[in-house]
Amino acid sequence: MAGPQHEAAGPRPTSRDVARAAGVSQATVSLVFGDKWRGRVAERTAERVRTTARELGYRPNLAARNLRLGRTRTALLVVPALTNEFFARVYTGAARVAAEHGFGVVLYPSPDGIGPARDPFDSSRAALDGILASSIASDALATIQGDELPLVMLDSDPAGSLGAATVNLDIGDGMRQVTEHLLALRHREFLHLAAGVDSWTFDVRSEALATALRGTDAAVRTVRALLTVDDARTAAEAALRAAGPRPTALVCDDDILAAGACKAARRLGLRVPEDLSVTGFDDLTLATAVEPELTTVRLPAEQFGEHGMTSLLAVLDGRTPRTDTLPVELVIRGSTAPAAR
């Protein structure tokens, strides 16, 4: 029984097999999988080698190569929570780029979304080559990084970033697009449902909203809520019941907050969007699961992860990292309409 099973499985493909099938030298295969091909192998050739390797089921001997390089070829992605779809997409993009360069990605959520984290390894400095971290989970870095590992920050203040590079989304422009859309619909009484999280990315949203309303005849009130539907519903319901002119537009820092705001409106007998326009931020699956579907800002989460990992790999290779600011897009759906008054 053992003999036939072994023959059916076939011998494990080698770099020589990949070289022969791709029509290149074995040295070229080594350069591609050693991530040393740039400037020495054409990009089209490198892609052909990777494609051929996948088709043959070839796996380089990472353990042996890592011993030679003195690296684990592992990066840590620190995010606020695994339950947040946005960061799941960021991971997908980061892991895709990492895999193309023979790296693995360990995904580590900061406990409770924010706050200090326990070192996920006996010694992170011995087990990791570098870290990619969301600014929302930056408190976790004091334990994990030890001020010794290469670090790239995501969605962080470039002026005060902890990392060797920072990759950002144009959050401010996204909020500007939201505000201009609502002003064009003649909304003048705004309620800002802000995330109750101390983070640069949410500060940018607040500042951008205030800037976009400056010089107009519009007024804005701000209330804060934790990033849960229930907390958002409670905060929005209290704000909509408050004395004074009732808001006609509710601007939310996140789609989850917007879902809670829509629930609050229904409990108060308000129609969305006839009585109250609601906007979100992120364009999660949730944005099209609610009714009416949310007007929101689409953030390119996978591309964000890709660019972040590309920057980290550049830092590890001693190259100049990219410090992009990725554009965002307002997606107009059914939750916004002209102001009723």
Side-chain angles (χ1 to χ4, degrees), residues 129-214:
D129 286 330
I131 298 175
L132 188 61
S134 162
S135 64
I136 303 177
S138 59
D139 285 347
L141 298 176
T143 301
I144 296 172
Q145 187 194 8
D147 297 324
E148 294 181 19
L149 286 170
L151 169 68
V152 169
M153 295 297 298
L154 297 174
D155 211 13
S156 180
D157 183 359
S161 177
L162 300 170
T166 303
V167 178
N168 279 327
L169 299 163
D170 202 342
I171 297 296
D173 184 61
M175 187 59 86
R176 178 194 60 78
Q177 292 180 54
V178 166
T179 311
E180 290 183 355
H181 168 63
L182 292 170
L183 288 172
L185 293 173
R186 303 189 303 278
H187 290 279
R188 294 299 180 269
E189 295 292 338
F190 286 72
L191 176 64
H192 179 203
L193 185 54
V197 177
D198 184 15
S199 175
W200 176 83
T201 185
F202 293 120
D203 290 343
V204 168
R205 289 162 167 79
S206 181
E207 292 166 6
L209 176 61
T211 298
L213 291 178
R214 193 169 296 137

Side-chain angles (χ1 to χ4, degrees), residues 10-325:
R12 179 174 176 171
T14 66
S15 61
R16 184 175 298 146
D17 297 325
V18 176
R20 186 182 302 115
V24 299
S25 68
Q26 196 171 353
T28 296
V29 175
S30 296
L31 286 172
V32 170
F33 284 98
D35 199 25
K36 297 180 179 179
W37 61 272
R38 291 173 181 78
R40 303 164 78 176
V41 176
E43 187 169 347
R44 183 178 298 177
T45 301
E47 182 56 34
R48 186 168 76 248
V49 169
R50 287 192 289 264
T51 300
T52 302
R54 285 195 296 271
E55 291 172 351
L56 293 178
Y58 168 71
R59 300 279 184 182
N61 189 338
L62 293 178
R65 188 180 72 202
N66 292 342
L67 285 173
R68 292 195 304 272
L69 296 174
R71 283 185 175 182
T72 63
R73 299 187 77 79
T74 303
L76 188 71
L77 175 60
V78 183
V79 298
L82 289 178
T83 52
N84 190 308
E85 178 190 338
F86 174 79
F87 291 104
R89 293 179 182 178
V90 170
Y91 168 78
T92 298
R96 180 164 51 240
V97 169
E100 290 173 357
H101 295 81
F103 266 72
V105 178
V106 177
L107 183 59
Y108 187 66
S110 178
D112 301 319
I114 55 174
R118 180 179 54 82
D119 190 334
F121 306 101
D122 289 338
S123 172
S124 59
R125 291 174 294 285
L128 298 170
D129 286 330
I131 298 175
L132 188 61
S134 162
S135 64
I136 303 177
S138 59
D139 285 347
L141 298 176
T143 301
I144 296 172
Q145 187 194 8
D147 297 324
E148 294 181 19
L149 286 170
L151 169 68
V152 169
M153 295 297 298
L154 297 174
D155 211 13
S156 180
D157 183 359
S161 177
L162 300 170
T166 303
V167 178
N168 279 327
L169 299 163
D170 202 342
I171 297 296
D173 184 61
M175 187 59 86
R176 178 194 60 78
Q177 292 180 54
V178 166
T179 311
E180 290 183 355
H181 168 63
L182 292 170
L183 288 172
L185 293 173
R186 303 189 303 278
H187 290 279
R188 294 299 180 269
E189 295 292 338
F190 286 72
L191 176 64
H192 179 203
L193 185 54
V197 177
D198 184 15
S199 175
W200 176 83
T201 185
F202 293 120
D203 290 343
V204 168
R205 289 162 167 79
S206 181
E207 292 166 6
L209 176 61
T211 298
L213 291 178
R214 193 169 296 137
T216 72
D217 58 349
V220 60
R221 287 189 294 130
T222 299
V223 295
R224 298 188 178 276
L226 298 178
L227 287 171
T228 69
V229 172
D230 283 346
D231 206 60
R233 177 191 55 75
T234 300
E237 191 170 339
L240 291 170
R241 287 182 184 276
R246 179 172 55 77
T248 62
L250 210 167
V251 179
C252 302
D253 274 357
D254 184 276
D255 289 346
I256 295 171
L257 297 179
C262 288
K263 292 187 74 169
R266 283 194 296 272
R267 288 192 175 207
L268 295 175
L270 300 174
R271 299 166 299 164
V272 176
E274 292 85 355
D275 302 316
L276 180 69
S277 286
V278 178
T279 64
F281 224 99
D282 281 358
D283 198 25
L284 306 176
T285 301
L286 178 64
T288 53
V290 297
E291 186 62 40
E293 296 184 352
L294 277 177
T295 293
T296 188
V297 176
R298 177 174 294 157
L299 305 182
E302 286 194 29
Q303 187 182 9
F304 193 35
E306 290 173 355
H307 284 224
M309 183 55 66
T310 298
S311 292
L312 180 57
L313 292 172
V315 171
L316 293 173
D317 287 345
R319 294 180 283 113
T320 301
R322 61 194 307 172
T323 54
D324 304 24
T325 297

